Amino acid sequence: MPFLGKDWRSPGWSWTKTEDGWKRIILFGDVLEDNNGEIDLKELCNGNNENLFVGDVCELSTTKRKKDFYNNNTKSQFVFTDKWIYIQKGSTKERHGYCTLGEALNRLDFSSAIQDLRRFNYVAKLFQLIARSQLTSLSGAAQKNYFNILEKIVRKVLEDHYNPRLVKELLQDLSSTLHSLTIHGRCVLVGNVNIWLCRLETIVKWQQELNNLQIPKQMCTGMSFSDLPLHMQNKILYKFSDACDIINLGQATPTLHILSENNTLWKKLCLFHFSDRPFCRTLAITRNDNVDWKLMYFTLQKHYPMKEQYGDTLHFCKHCSILFWKDFGHPCTANDPDSCLMPISPQHFIDLFKF
């Protein structure tokens, strides 16, 4: 098709052939209906040639207002079918430019990933790291996509009551970052500062909704967790990797409280997260029964990062330099693709795009 579009620098519109002829494909939502009130150019011009320039300016202003209204209200800005992205870090004869964090955020389909419980914690943690340090490195389109996905994350927690504590921490970090960038300092974010103040108000609203979240009691007529034998309840507690989950479960019943205070349980939790620390490993070998492993855990937590554990993560192919979700795969040319795969933690994902 020949180029058809308003801007000669754009790739043009996409068209499809129908029985009635060629029709343009609308990828970015429905046609904008701007009801903000149009400026009557006839009143400004009023048949006077001196006001023709004013009319042109008003027409341009109206067009710009329509465009801004559309950009600020669209919810589905990007339509990508690929589940992987090539990580380009420099220019070669075959490829020019490089891949940015914002491009990866747009193309890796995080909107669908949050619907999978195996990936929800991974995406939420990644968004938390972006909120802490990488928000200013995103393009305007990527920032908009970031907040669209964040809204879906909050809605999922409100509907399914899944891991609200993690999302509360994410919103708290994002709120602190936006406060420092907009209210307490010079705004270096892409877009008008008033847009970011509105987003900040939206974050406060989300925080209030999460704080008022009431998880209904499950009406179960069958066997409950408390009906299980003690050794099975204790075995389930040993599968937890988050100390807050153990403490919260221990507040449910007096029996669970006793199981959650078991010193051996906290010892295994310390070894799981901090086994690479020599003094922790040495202390475990000495079999000193006087060690308060719960206190030891929270002391180590203040000084060292904990081991992260996720149901599913993004993977990076060292042969193809492609980042992808493992379930969807990627077009690999290696003889043994599995040997080239490397799981990517949220922090490693951020580091991939630091040039």
Side-chain angles (χ1 to χ4, degrees):
M1 288 296 296
F3 168 78
L4 291 174
K6 292 183 177 181
D7 193 341
W8 62 271
R9 294 168 295 181
S10 67
W13 291 330
S14 298
W15 297 79
T16 183
K17 190 174 183 179
T18 64
E19 295 179 356
D20 300 329
W22 288 92
K23 289 187 178 181
R24 184 162 64 92
I25 300 176
I26 305 297
L27 294 179
F28 307 120
D30 298 328
V31 179
L32 173 67
E33 294 179 0
D34 187 2
N35 297 322
N36 290 341
E38 298 291 339
I39 299 176
D40 192 355
L41 300 180
K42 294 182 180 179
E43 296 180 1
L44 293 174
C45 297
N46 197 21
N48 190 348
N49 293 334
E50 294 180 358
N51 291 330
L52 287 178
F53 178 73
V54 177
D56 293 339
V57 172
C58 292
E59 185 175 359
L60 291 173
S61 177
T62 303
T63 304
K64 184 177 184 301
R65 188 169 65 253
K66 284 185 178 182
K67 180 180 179 182
D68 292 341
F69 181 86
Y70 174 77
N71 288 337
N72 291 332
N73 287 275
T74 181
K75 292 294 182 183
S76 56
Q77 182 153 359
F78 300 97
V79 179
F80 289 107
T81 58
D82 293 336
K83 305 296 182 181
W84 53 269
I85 185 172
Y86 178 80
I87 306 299
Q88 176 73 14
K89 290 193 174 184
S91 296
T92 63
K93 290 183 178 180
E94 295 79 13
R95 292 177 178 267
H96 294 280
Y98 55 91
C99 179
T100 63
L101 176 63
E103 185 180 355
L105 189 67
N106 292 333
R107 294 189 57 183
L108 284 174
D109 196 15
F110 287 103
S111 296
S112 300
I114 61 175
Q115 304 303 326
D116 190 338
L117 293 182
R118 298 174 303 163
R119 301 172 183 167
F120 182 88
N121 292 346
Y122 181 86
V123 176
K125 184 62 177 180
L126 175 61
F127 272 51
Q128 185 178 18
L129 294 178
I130 293 176
R132 289 176 179 175
S133 61
Q134 300 298 318
L135 197 61
T136 55
S137 66
L138 299 179
S139 64
Q143 289 174 357
K144 187 184 302 180
N145 196 29
Y146 177 91
F147 277 91
N148 289 341
I149 299 174
L150 181 60
E151 181 179 1
K152 295 180 180 179
I153 292 176
V154 175
R155 294 305 165 201
K156 181 174 180 60
V157 173
L158 293 175
E159 293 173 1
D160 300 342
H161 310 129
Y162 182 73
N163 207 347
R165 178 169 53 86
L166 177 60
V167 180
K168 286 180 182 180
E169 295 175 358
L170 163 60
L171 295 179
Q172 182 59 42
D173 290 340
L174 182 58
S175 177
S176 301
T177 301
L178 291 183
H179 267 94
S180 61
L181 293 176
T182 56
I183 298 177
H184 301 299
R186 180 182 177 185
C187 182
V188 294
L189 298 167
V190 178
N192 192 295
V193 65
N194 293 324
I195 296 177
W196 287 100
L197 292 177
C198 290
R199 287 173 174 169
L200 193 56
E201 293 177 358
T202 303
I203 293 173
V204 174
K205 178 183 176 182
W206 289 341
Q207 288 177 316
Q208 293 174 350
E209 292 178 354
L210 290 176
N211 291 332
N212 298 329
L213 179 63
Q214 297 291 333
I215 300 178
K217 185 177 180 180
Q218 298 292 334
M219 302 302 295
C220 181
T221 57
M223 180 178 290
S224 64
F225 183 80
S226 302
D227 297 330
L228 295 174
L230 290 180
H231 72 277
M232 294 185 66
Q233 295 184 26
N234 194 42
K235 191 173 182 179
I236 292 175
L237 278 171
Y238 273 75
K239 298 295 183 181
F240 285 14
S241 61
D242 193 325
C244 292
D245 292 337
I246 296 177
I247 294 175
N248 291 336
L249 185 59
Q251 295 173 353
T253 63
T255 302
L256 288 175
H257 176 72
I258 296 175
L259 294 177
S260 65
E261 294 295 326
N262 188 352
N263 202 39
T264 306
L265 172 65
W266 289 98
K267 178 180 179 180
K268 288 187 175 297
L269 196 63
C270 284
L271 294 178
F272 175 77
H273 288 286
F274 310 108
S275 60
D276 55 338
R277 307 299 169 185
F279 68 92
C280 181
R281 190 165 56 246
T282 304
L283 194 61
I285 296 175
T286 57
R287 298 181 180 180
N288 189 346
D289 296 333
N290 297 324
V291 178
D292 187 346
W293 286 102
K294 183 178 181 180
L295 179 61
M296 176 68 70
Y297 172 85
F298 287 104
T299 302
L300 294 172
Q301 186 185 30
K302 296 178 181 179
H303 300 88
Y304 302 105
M306 294 186 299
K307 185 183 295 184
E308 298 179 353
Q309 191 177 33
Y310 303 100
D312 191 16
T313 66
L314 286 167
H315 282 69
F316 181 75
C317 179
K318 294 180 285 185
H319 177 78
C320 306
S321 296
I322 287 179
L323 190 65
F324 64 100
W325 293 107
K326 191 175 182 180
D327 287 352
F328 299 107
H330 73 289
C332 187
T333 59
N335 295 328
D336 186 9
D338 293 337
S339 63
C340 305
L341 299 185
M342 178 177 60
I344 300 296
S345 67
Q347 184 59 55
H348 193 185
F349 180 92
I350 300 293
D351 295 338
L352 282 175
F353 303 96
K354 291 182 178 180
F355 304 110

